Amino acid sequence: MVPQPFIQFFNITKIFGKNIVLDSLNLDIGYGEIYGIIGRSGSGKTTLLSILVGFIKPEKGRIFFKGQEITSDLPDSVKQQIGFTAQEGSFYPKLTVKENLEYFGTLYNLSQTEIRDKIPQILKLVNLDKDENKISAELSSGMRKRLDIACAIIHDPKLLILDEPTEDLDPLLRKEVLNLLKKINKEKDVTIIMTSHLLEEIEQVCTHLAILHDKEILIEGTLNELKDYYSNNQEIILQTYSGKYSWLIKALKEKKEVNKVIESDGKLLVYSPEAESILRFIMQELQSNNEKVLDVDLNKPSLSEVFESLIKENVQINRDNKKES
Amino acid sequence: MYKLIEIIKKNLKLLLRSKSSALIVLLGPLFLILLISMAFNTTSLYDIKIGTYSGSYSELSNSIIQKLNQDEFKVVKVDDRDECTNKIKSNDLHVCAIFPDDLNINSKESIEFYVDESRMNLVYIIINSISTKVSTKSTELSTALTSTLLNSINSADAKIGESSEKIVKLSVTLSEIKTNIESIRATLATSLNQTANVSLLSEKADELNMSGAAGELINDYRILTNSLISKLKSSQESVSTLNSASSDIDAQITNVNDVSSELSEVKSNFNSIEIKEVSKIVSPISTEIKPITSQSTHFAYTFPSLLVIVLLFSGLLVAATTIIEEKSSKAFFRNFITPSSSALFIIGNYISNLIVVLFQILVIFASLYLLSSATIPAEIVTNLVLIILLTSSVFILLGMLIGYLFKSGETANLAVISLACILLFFSNTILPLETLPMAIRSIAEYNPFILGVNALKEILLFKSSLAAIATQFYTLLIYVVMLIILVYVVRLFSKRRYVE
């Protein structure tokens, strides 16, 4: 029996004015996962999260939380199980660290005793236990992000949603925050959904990911599944002096071993599980056509390359569709 | 309940930790009350400059100027009529008084006062004050003239009395003279009746025809009787004269009696004047304006307005500022996604603002107590608190509404100031409502500012019961209920706008 997803988006469409932001989007997120949603800026990541926390409503589609359909406003029982951090810190800068936690703890229906007990634990978890009486505005960027996360988990949510959690942080602080997320996921058994356009950090922390592009999910799965899928292909990166590849693309597309051919920025990207034989074929073709090679490389794709190729492939398909129509 | 307390605690902490807000909250009302109590703690006008011009100042005009120069007015003699009026335009003078040349009580020309009508709030006070001064001088003059007139009448009355007595005596004397004349006339008439007898005797003596001594005697007798007859005949003429004299005396007696009765009538007319007091004649109807309350300074009358102005500005500004700060805070988003209702945040914000406004009112009352030992009678405390609560609630909810409607602090502040100005302009604070057209006035009467001021005035000055201010009380209550609903709707709408 297939386990029920923790969160299920079904056929979600969101329109702002005349602009379709999400179009018939489907996504399943399982229990205990650290789910990364990657996509370019403006691809609809924040909108998707805002729908999930009930801040905005989709025009179409259904959302299931632990199998229960959310039909109207997000019920308080569901809100109680969700923690959220936005791109910028959602706390009061003029209150102290402790006062912010007390305030949001109360709003999340915690009793005064529970708040008193939880604050030291949470502060220790986010490594702010020595700064509880500091005014929040006086904290460093990394501390602020940790306080924001602390505010989001004060009520022990089952689902923690983070919108670009490492935005504007330096690499060290970024690593610190990502480690904290792993710690929360492990120690508190919290399902985490995070968005980012920084693929390295998604690669570093997420167990699952989805690529959101052009209003829809292009691909989703575990990181290993995606890597495995793309590790079957090797990537040939070719650059010639002329930079004209149309004749070569046509020739490559006739080859069964070639899975994808993408032309981008004067370069040709070719994906194939038999990259070495294809590379030989390319060199022969170039020689017979008197094309001089400027640069050539053979790689196993990283996540960012997977992302780029998928995006480019999607762009290519769209172009082809337009030409056909 | 914990949530509500936590929201209120958070709002107050945010307000107090902002130095400028804390200063405004704590020192604002203190500063305001000090300033206004100093300004209004008097019943006089200060430094009102009156310019005077006359081609030739008379004693009377100088005495009026002297009168005006007392107390609050400062009189300046100007050399030119146009200069005098121009100085009003340039605000160097408040009033220009043009005295006719050589002004005296017989002058037919009047004193002209020029005022700047555009200074509506001041001009009527000045006109009233100057009119009072001039009227006092005019009364003094009337009193002097009336006093002279009354003295003359009294003197004439006394002299008529004396003359009447003399006339009565004259009449009596004339009557006695007439009686004497009648007596003489009667005697003479009797004598005249003997004339025939004498003539008869004379004739008989002639008939005797005697000579000698007897003849001589009879001759002497005849001469004597003839002389007697002749005298009797001449006496008859005197009787006629006496008759004529008697008739004249009658006529004179009638005249004397007429004069006597006329004098009596004049005297009677004098006596019929009941009021002979100068003050009563100069001002037969005395008026005295008595206040319905006995307050010694303007401050007591302006205090209700002052209180509502504080409620208006602090209510609107504090509420709009806290809502805008809340909205612009990134934590606003987290508030939305917590399992806490919108109503809770509205109530929390409302109570926080109410605490701030009530604190300011408390500061005002405490400063009043410290400055002037003024206390509030126990019987009005409940009504006072109720009206302050209702009025401040209306302004706080209006401020919250503005806070939710506008995006930035600048536009919200602009909206607050505009609204406060509208509420102030259409109240009795700047111009009396009675100067407004009826249609606008009937709308302005529902101005919460006016409702608050009127209710507080009745409570503070007249110690009115709640029943006496029921209209204001229920109208304010309706405002509060309507605004709560409106704020709730607008907050939901503002959430949608925040998302977009």
Side-chain angles (χ1 to χ4, degrees):
Chain A
M1 190 181 157
V2 181
Q4 188 149 46
F6 188 31
I7 305 286
Q8 197 173 13
F9 291 98
F10 181 74
N11 214 19
I12 295 292
T13 299
K14 179 67 199 169
I15 303 166
F16 286 122
K18 289 178 181 173
N19 185 25
I20 300 170
V21 182
L22 299 171
D23 188 12
S24 304
L25 181 142
N26 293 296
L27 189 66
D28 291 353
I29 296 162
Y31 289 88
E33 293 174 354
I34 301 181
Y35 205 104
I37 298 170
I38 54 176
R40 286 174 165 178
S41 296
S43 60
K45 301 187 295 288
T46 303
T47 306
L48 184 64
L49 297 190
S50 297
I51 290 171
L52 183 54
V53 294
F55 199 61
I56 52 175
K57 284 179 194 170
E59 268 66 36
K60 263 195 337 195
R62 300 160 80 186
I63 302 166
F64 294 89
F65 186 89
K66 288 183 175 175
Q68 180 197 341
E69 186 175 1
I70 297 158
T71 48
S72 57
D73 281 338
L74 212 57
D76 284 355
S77 60
V78 175
K79 281 183 179 176
Q80 187 68 38
Q81 295 181 61
I82 298 176
F84 184 88
T85 71
Q87 286 179 22
E88 292 172 69
S90 301
F91 53 82
Y92 291 100
K94 283 176 192 164
L95 297 185
T96 64
V97 170
K98 193 181 170 186
E99 283 167 348
N100 266 306
L101 291 174
E102 279 172 349
Y103 174 70
F104 288 111
T106 312
L107 289 191
Y108 276 107
N109 299 314
L110 299 186
S111 70
Q112 296 305 298
T113 323
E114 282 174 317
I115 289 171
R116 260 199 308 277
D117 294 343
K118 272 190 182 299
I119 285 176
Q121 295 171 22
I122 297 285
L123 287 177
K124 197 173 176 187
L125 182 73
V126 298
N127 199 20
L128 284 173
D129 45 341
K130 287 172 188 168
D131 306 293
E132 63 172 22
N133 292 320
K134 267 192 184 170
I135 296 288
S136 306
E138 292 165 6
L139 299 175
S140 67
S141 342
M143 288 160 99
R144 279 187 211 178
K145 183 49 81 180
R146 280 184 274 141
L147 169 61
D148 201 25
I149 292 170
C151 289
I153 59 169
I154 182 74
H155 57 296
D156 278 339
K158 293 293 163 208
L159 174 67
L160 176 61
I161 301 163
L162 304 109
D163 190 9
E164 311 266 6
T166 55
E167 181 83 0
D168 299 331
L169 296 182
D170 64 46
L172 275 176
L173 292 175
R174 201 175 285 170
K175 197 175 175 187
E176 196 181 305
V177 169
L178 293 176
N179 286 338
L180 173 65
L181 294 179
K182 277 186 194 169
K183 203 171 158 189
I184 291 166
N185 175 253
K186 196 177 171 187
E187 287 181 15
K188 292 194 161 276
D189 192 24
V190 174
T191 304
I192 295 174
I193 303 173
M194 60 182 279
T195 65
S196 181
H197 57 268
L198 301 167
L199 303 176
E200 302 80 29
E201 70 181 38
I202 293 279
E203 205 167 0
Q204 198 180 327
V205 74
C206 292
T207 57
H208 292 71
L209 65 89
I211 295 173
L212 181 62
H213 180 73
D214 201 16
K215 307 157 200 167
E216 58 189 2
I217 299 288
L218 287 185
I219 192 162
E220 64 168 316
T222 66
L223 196 63
N224 287 335
E225 279 169 1
L226 288 178
K227 285 255 180 177
D228 284 348
Y229 175 73
Y230 276 93
S231 64
N232 290 334
N233 290 307
Q234 279 187 297
E235 184 183 53
I236 302 163
I237 304 167
L238 174 75
Q239 191 174 12
T240 61
Y241 276 104
S242 70
K244 291 174 182 170
Y245 305 107
S246 52
W247 60 273
L248 186 56
I249 291 169
K250 199 175 176 183
L252 284 168
K253 279 190 174 173
E254 283 168 9
K255 289 271 179 188
K256 283 182 183 174
E257 299 86 352
V258 174
N259 282 335
K260 282 184 185 68
V261 183
I262 297 163
E263 188 185 348
S264 170
D265 297 330
K267 289 179 184 175
L268 189 68
L269 309 172
V270 183
Y271 296 93
S272 168
E274 292 171 30
E276 286 175 9
S277 65
I278 292 297
L279 183 60
R280 275 197 296 275
F281 169 74
I282 289 170
M283 296 311 282
Q284 282 167 8
E285 287 292 308
L286 288 171
Q287 206 170 6
S288 57
N289 283 284
N290 288 325
E291 279 280 355
K292 285 184 180 172
V293 176
L294 190 66
D295 193 17
V296 68
D297 205 354
L298 183 68
N299 291 321
K300 187 175 181 179
S302 67
L303 183 57
S304 68
E305 284 157 345
V306 171
F307 176 68
E308 267 179 45
S309 63
L310 269 167
I311 300 294
K312 282 165 189 168
E313 184 186 0
N314 190 258
V315 171
Q316 188 76 43
I317 289 164
N318 284 346
R319 276 184 198 156
D320 294 345
N321 286 344
K322 275 182 187 171
K323 276 179 189 170
E324 279 170 22
S325 63
Chain B
M1 192 64 185
Y2 278 129
K3 280 188 185 182
L4 194 62
I5 294 168
E6 197 61 41
I7 291 171
I8 294 166
K9 262 168 62 184
K10 178 264 298 177
N11 285 341
L12 294 177
K13 277 177 192 169
L14 292 179
L15 195 73
L16 292 173
R17 281 180 192 168
S18 163
K19 283 172 191 163
S20 53
S21 307
L23 268 176
I24 291 168
V25 169
L26 294 170
L27 298 179
L30 265 177
F31 181 68
L32 201 67
I33 196 80
L34 264 172
L35 210 69
I36 294 178
S37 59
M38 274 163 63
F40 288 95
N41 207 14
T42 172
T43 53
S44 307
L45 289 169
Y46 282 109
D47 201 25
I48 300 294
K49 288 180 193 155
I50 301 176
T52 62
Y53 170 75
S54 177
S56 166
Y57 286 99
S58 67
E59 200 181 327
L60 180 60
S61 34
N62 280 328
S63 70
I64 293 172
I65 289 168
Q66 199 186 347
K67 199 93 192 160
L68 290 174
N69 218 352
Q70 291 166 359
D71 305 328
E72 66 266 37
F73 297 122
K74 191 177 173 186
V75 181
V76 182
K77 284 188 177 175
V78 182
D79 299 330
D80 182 59
R81 188 189 180 102
D82 291 337
E83 188 191 345
C84 192
T85 48
N86 285 336
K87 278 192 171 179
I88 298 179
K89 291 174 195 164
S90 60
N91 268 340
D92 294 328
L93 293 174
H94 293 99
V95 185
C96 173
I98 308 290
F99 291 92
D101 293 352
D102 300 318
L103 177 73
N104 59 55
I105 49 173
N106 295 319
S107 296
K108 286 181 181 172
E109 290 173 272
S110 51
I111 306 168
E112 292 167 0
F113 286 100
Y114 290 88
V115 285
D116 181 4
E117 283 278 339
S118 66
R119 301 188 67 181
M120 288 179 281
N121 47 357
L122 182 69
V123 75
Y124 297 110
I125 303 171
I126 294 175
I127 289 171
N128 182 43
S129 194
I130 288 175
S131 299
T132 310
K133 298 271 180 200
V134 174
S135 159
T136 310
K137 182 69 199 169
S138 178
T139 307
E140 278 175 20
L141 290 171
S142 291
T143 307
L145 292 171
T146 312
S147 183
T148 311
L149 194 67
L150 276 179
N151 287 341
S152 303
I153 289 172
N154 287 337
S155 161
D157 185 31
K159 287 198 170 151
I160 285 169
E162 287 168 20
S163 301
S164 290
E165 283 172 21
K166 286 176 185 169
I167 285 166
V168 169
K169 278 180 190 170
L170 179 66
S171 173
V172 171
T173 309
L174 283 170
S175 297
E176 283 171 1
I177 292 166
K178 190 191 168 191
T179 312
N180 291 338
I181 288 170
E182 286 296 322
S183 167
I184 293 164
R185 196 171 62 91
T187 312
L188 280 172
T190 313
S191 302
L192 282 172
N193 288 339
Q194 298 301 317
T195 308
N197 295 336
V198 172
S199 298
L200 194 62
L201 283 171
S202 180
E203 281 168 15
K204 279 177 180 175
D206 285 342
E207 282 171 6
L208 288 172
N209 206 13
M210 292 172 73
S211 57
E216 283 178 6
L217 192 66
I218 285 170
N219 199 32
D220 288 344
Y221 172 75
R222 199 170 45 238
I223 291 165
L224 193 67
T225 54
N226 285 341
S227 166
L228 185 64
I229 288 165
S230 158
K231 280 187 179 171
L232 281 171
K233 280 182 180 172
S234 68
S235 289
Q236 202 167 7
E237 285 171 12
S238 296
V239 168
S240 303
T241 309
L242 278 173
N243 281 341
S244 164
S246 176
S247 299
D248 287 349
I249 286 169
D250 277 345
Q252 288 312 315
I253 287 170
T254 310
N255 285 341
V256 165
N257 286 340
D258 285 350
V259 168
S260 175
S261 67
E262 276 166 14
L263 283 175
S264 297
E265 198 181 319
V266 170
K267 192 171 170 60
S268 153
N269 283 343
F270 281 165
N271 292 333
S272 69
I273 299 171
E274 289 172 12
I275 300 157
K276 286 171 183 162
E277 281 175 57
V278 175
S279 60
K280 282 280 177 192
I281 294 168
V282 170
S283 179
I285 300 167
S286 59
T287 54
E288 192 179 355
I289 295 166
K290 288 200 170 185
I292 41 179
T293 57
S294 53
Q295 306 296 335
S296 55
T297 64
H298 284 312
F299 184 70
Y301 302 116
T302 51
F303 184 65
S305 301
L306 162 75
L307 212 58
V308 183
I309 287 174
V310 173
L311 291 178
L312 170 73
F313 279 98
S314 63
L316 284 176
L317 274 173
V318 172
T321 309
T322 49
I323 298 296
I324 288 287
E325 278 198 8
E326 178 77 27
K327 271 170 65 179
S328 53
S329 159
K330 296 292 168 192
F332 188 54
F333 179 74
R334 196 184 291 287
N335 285 336
F336 267 129
I337 60 167
T338 59
S340 311
S341 70
S342 283
L344 192 76
F345 288 102
I346 291 171
I347 296 167
N349 281 328
Y350 163 72
I351 295 176
S352 316
N353 292 320
L354 193 65
I355 290 170
V356 173
V357 172
L358 292 183
F359 172 77
Q360 293 191 330
I361 296 299
L362 205 68
V363 170
I364 286 179
F365 278 109
S367 341
L368 261 183
Y369 178 74
L370 292 173
L371 288 170
S372 62
S373 304
T375 52
I376 303 162
E379 71 263 28
I380 65 165
V381 170
T382 318
N383 292 347
L384 185 68
V385 170
L386 271 175
I387 292 298
I388 287 176
L389 271 176
L390 276 177
T391 314
S392 47
S393 298
V394 171
F395 296 134
I396 286 167
L397 289 165
L398 276 171
M400 286 172 71
L401 198 64
I402 288 171
Y404 283 124
L405 278 172
F406 291 89
K407 276 186 177 173
S408 72
E410 288 81 6
T411 48
N413 282 341
L414 212 65
V416 162
I417 291 164
S418 307
L419 179 66
C421 285
I422 290 168
L423 294 177
L424 267 179
F425 282 137
F426 292 99
S427 75
N428 282 313
T429 314
I430 292 170
L431 273 180
L433 268 187
E434 285 71 15
T435 57
L436 298 176
M438 269 310 284
I440 296 173
R441 192 175 142 192
S442 55
I443 298 167
E445 275 166 3
Y446 292 98
N447 178 350
F449 184 90
I450 294 176
L451 294 169
V453 170
N454 288 348
L456 285 177
K457 212 172 257 180
E458 289 208 23
I459 293 169
L460 287 169
L461 297 178
F462 315 131
K463 298 182 178 52
S464 300
S465 66
L466 203 60
I469 51 163
T471 314
Q472 290 96 327
F473 179 82
Y474 288 114
T475 317
L476 286 171
L477 197 65
I478 290 167
Y479 272 126
V480 170
V481 174
M482 278 165 53
L483 282 166
I484 287 172
I485 297 166
L486 210 59
V487 167
Y488 185 80
V489 173
V490 172
R491 189 181 191 270
L492 292 181
F493 174 71
S494 80
K495 177 188 168 184
R496 200 176 303 155
R497 239 180 20 177
Y498 181 85
V499 173
E500 282 163 9

